[in-house]
Amino acid sequence: MKYMLLIYAAADQQPTCTVADWIAYEKEMRDAGVLVSGHSLADLVTATTVQVGQDGKRTVTDGPFAETREVLGGYDVIDVPDLDAALEWAAKCPGSRDGGAVVVRPIAEFDF
Amino acid sequence: MNVGQVFREERGRLLATLVKRFGDLDLAEEVTSDAIEAALKHWPVDGVPDRPGAWLLTTARRKAVDRLRRDQVHAARLALLQVEVDRADPPAGDGLPDERLELFFTCAHPALAEEDRGALTLRCLAGFTTPEVARAYLVPVTTMQQRIVRAKKKIKEARIPFRVPDPHELPERLPGVLQAVYSIFTEGYAAQRDDLADEAIRLARILQDLLPDREVTGLLALMLLIHARRDARAELLEDQDRALWDRDMIDEGSALAERALTGGYGPYGVQAAINALHDEAPDFDSTDWPQIVALYDVLGKLAPSPVVALNRAAAIAMRDGAETGLALLDALAGEPRLRDYHPYRAARADLLHRLGRDAEAAEAYREAIALAGTESEQDFLRRRLTAVEEQS
């Protein structure tokens, strides 16, 4: 079962974790064979939003779609047996500390 | 025990076994109901089989195979073969394997909304129907239906597992299970529904058999020691006729409380000890208030909450006088969780009345009545208000 871990940082708090913590976390996931893919996102100021209206007109705006206090900073997709295992990895993620949060979302499965 | 009760007993056990085999709560619930329906039809005619548990399990499995044959898409995902292979091997002994502990942990999983955990526990482990669960939680049937469907969808689609947490996970996971069972008890207590309180006690007994843990014992003790006073509860503790208290239940609860506090302690055990002190006092005046205050101090450290602070203040009022207690209560006035909590207003009213400040006491009772959730609580407070008004 695949889950996406959405890693949010608190906008008003500086994380104490280091690059080494993130590298160790990624290595642990790789060694356990659960990591499907994952990326960090570039700074929020680089975000651009695209919307297409009913008339087909394209609107491009600076910044993310919705301003929130928490900023999506990256994600990992993992493949583990069940939610308990996914929550275990979320709790190990350095992004879950210092006011940050990791939202665990199962990847939808479709029967075609 | 009538036939209905026997099936209520068997239902949770059968359901747990089937969830374990199929990994699918919906299918397990459907075929559990099918099997019990079949038993109700056949047993009165053919007699109760030698091994009722095994009969139910075999029947449920056969029903599952039938259902999966009709629903191929479902079957593909559920490994039909596994179900069929299982048919060859009925369980040893008379009963079913007991896998209810797994089901307890699934129903009270922290990924489920807290308000849904007790409801799911009542439905899956106590064998309540959705309308019965709705009545227990005083919500419309359609609302409860939606909540249960939503919770079951999450269990299935987010794949909440059916497993007992490892020992190192228990401190994090067990309180959720205990809270779910206790919520059933407190709902029942507030609404004066003794059937719910009995059910919560029965669930705690099952848990205690399956998981020897001091806090499980503490929760069982706590509920017994509160429930022992059920026939007198229309009055305040100080006015209750203690001859109405259930002595056997108090004895059992006190012995369990002692066990729960041997070699360590947890919040349920400490609350049980507080209630044991109340229950063992021959009359209100001889209650051991210093000991109760000391236990609230411990509880406040283990599980700090405004409600514990409120109860501690009430106990201090008994030990040191109403004035001291009222000052502590007023210091809690800013707590958001107490603002709409009617026992807070009622406790203030009681102390104001004891200090002879009856106009303020009446006002505080009126606030409490406006906030009280159930009719029996409102009636109780109205009687207090009338008493104060008549005296002044």
Side-chain angles (χ1 to χ4, degrees), chain B residues 278 284-298 311-326 328 351 354:
Chain B
H278 284 304
F284 189 68
D285 290 332
S286 53
T287 308
D288 188 349
W289 295 110
Q291 187 64 30
I292 287 180
V293 171
L295 286 166
Y296 273 120
D297 287 340
V298 173
N311 289 325
R312 179 176 170 273
I316 287 175
M318 292 312 301
R319 188 189 64 180
D320 302 338
E323 197 129 11
T324 314
L326 187 61
L328 288 170
L351 293 186
R354 272 170 54 194

Side-chain angles (χ1 to χ4, degrees), chain A residues 14-36:
Chain A
Q14 222 24 263
T16 55
C17 61
T18 62
V19 175
D21 293 332
W22 285 101
I23 292 171
Y25 176 59
E26 199 193 300
K27 183 177 182 319
E28 199 181 343
M29 285 195 291
R30 275 189 204 289
D31 290 350
V34 299
L35 186 65
V36 177

Side-chain angles (χ1 to χ4, degrees), chain B residues 20 25 30 42 58 62 84 98 117 152 171 184 203 214 262 324-325 353 382 388:
Chain B
K20 181 97 178 177
L25 183 54
E30 282 168 14
H42 291 292
T58 305
R62 204 173 296 135
E84 285 189 302
D98 201 334
R117 296 178 209 159
K152 288 199 328 197
I184 295 167
L203 290 171
R214 73 169 64 260
T262 303
T324 314
H353 174 51
R382 265 189 217 107
V388 168

Side-chain angles (χ1 to χ4, degrees), chain B residues 126-207:
Chain B
F128 275 44
T129 63
T130 300
E132 285 171 336
V133 179
R135 252 197 318 281
Y137 283 89
L138 305 171
V139 300
V141 175
T142 47
T143 307
M144 186 51 78
Q145 243 154 13
Q146 286 160 1
R147 277 171 51 183
I148 286 178
V149 167
R150 189 185 62 197
K152 288 199 328 197
K153 184 179 159 82
K154 178 146 190 193
I155 290 174
K156 185 175 186 158
E157 292 184 8
R159 207 176 283 181
I160 290 179
F162 185 73
R163 63 183 268 269
V164 177
D166 296 336
H168 78 273
E169 298 171 280
L170 275 183
E172 205 179 295
R173 295 286 309 278
L174 184 58
V177 172
L178 300 180
Q179 174 55 38
V181 173
Y182 193 43
S183 82
I184 295 167
F185 181 82
T186 52
E187 284 293 329
Y189 198 80
Q192 304 213 8
R193 289 266 316 266
D194 286 344
D195 59 329
L196 285 180
D198 289 338
E199 199 56 55
I201 288 170
R202 194 178 72 80
L203 290 171
R205 286 190 198 282
I206 296 171
L207 264 182

Side-chain angles (χ1 to χ4, degrees), chain A residues 1 3 81-84 111, chain B residues 77 109 157-159 161 163:
Chain A
M1 177 95 174
Y3 296 87
D82 57 40
L83 185 66
D84 278 3
D111 302 311
Chain B
R77 272 204 264 154
H109 197 280
E157 292 184 8
R159 207 176 283 181
R163 63 183 268 269

Side-chain angles (χ1 to χ4, degrees), chain B residues 215-253:
Chain B
E215 278 291 87
V216 177
T217 307
L219 172 65
L220 178 57
L222 172 63
M223 295 193 296
L224 289 169
L225 290 163
I226 295 174
H227 201 48
R229 304 192 294 259
R230 65 194 174 280
D231 290 337
R233 76 184 142 197
E235 303 293 334
L236 270 188
L237 199 53
E238 59 188 276
D239 300 326
Q240 289 183 9
D241 176 2
R242 295 184 178 217
L244 295 174
W245 290 2
D246 185 333
R247 279 293 132 202
D248 291 342
M249 212 175 253
I250 291 172
D251 290 344
E252 190 194 356

Side-chain angles (χ1 to χ4, degrees), chain B residues 60-81:
Chain B
R61 276 192 199 141
R62 204 173 296 135
K63 300 278 183 189
V65 171
D66 290 347
R67 276 178 190 267
L68 292 181
R69 286 223 173 92
R70 286 200 299 270
D71 183 355
Q72 288 300 326
V73 181
H74 204 169
R77 272 204 264 154
L78 277 174
L80 174 61
L81 276 179

